[in-house]
Amino acid sequence: MEKELQDGDELGLPTGLAFWMVVMGEHVLGEIRRALAPFGINPVQFSILDACSRGDANTVTSIAQPLPIEPSSISRQADQLHMKGLLERRRQTSDRRVVTLRLSSKGKELMPKLQKVVAAEEARVGSSLSDAEKAALVSIAKKIVMGLEKKR
């Protein structure tokens, strides 16, 4: 199969970079979706909880910024997390238009479990790569994303 994957044309599939990036992304996303399903959480919801947990972002706009997801979708997912009792919403006193998000106590309790599950999936997905290949893939992916962001 490795030979076939190296030569996509032998399978009658496109051989271009974009095609294989999409295929890879869909496979990885599917694996993460399946791993999170028992918790009633989807990958976008995990991204929101994770950003709040790490302190990287605490508003819909700041969470949406690095993701290829519209802020309105992030807002809907945050609403669902709020209804599940995993996320708290607070209006800023200095600007009532701004709503900050933070993990509830239930969300804080769940996050280590979710992070462990996602880390295990990430390790499983990358198990066929060396550490150098993983680092190179991450570096290349970041470079592609930043290049696309500059063109917007």
Side-chain angles (χ1 to χ4, degrees), residues 111-127:
M111 272 313 291
K113 296 171 190 168
L114 296 178
Q115 288 167 329
K116 185 176 179 180
V117 165
V118 170
E121 278 308 304
E122 200 171 290
R124 192 176 69 75
V125 164
S127 65

Side-chain angles (χ1 to χ4, degrees), residues 44-67 69 71 74-75 78 81 86-90 92 98-104 108 111 115:
V44 173
Q45 291 171 341
F46 172 78
S47 295
I48 294 167
L49 293 171
D50 194 48
C52 291
S53 170
R54 289 182 284 110
D56 290 346
N58 69 348
T59 65
V60 167
T61 303
S62 62
I63 292 169
Q65 189 173 11
L67 302 173
I69 302 169
I74 297 289
S75 184
L81 291 168
L86 299 173
L87 200 62
E88 296 175 352
R89 293 172 159 259
R90 296 226 171 125
Q92 283 187 353
V98 178
V99 176
T100 58
L101 307 172
R102 70 178 196 175
L103 294 180
S104 66
K108 288 176 187 174
M111 272 313 291
Q115 288 167 329

Side-chain angles (χ1 to χ4, degrees), residues 132-152:
E133 288 171 324
K134 290 176 198 172
L137 181 58
V138 169
S139 177
I140 291 166
K142 285 179 179 179
K143 189 173 185 177
I144 289 170
V145 169
M146 288 198 285
L148 292 171
E149 288 294 319
K150 286 180 184 176
K151 293 178 182 178
R152 280 190 177 181

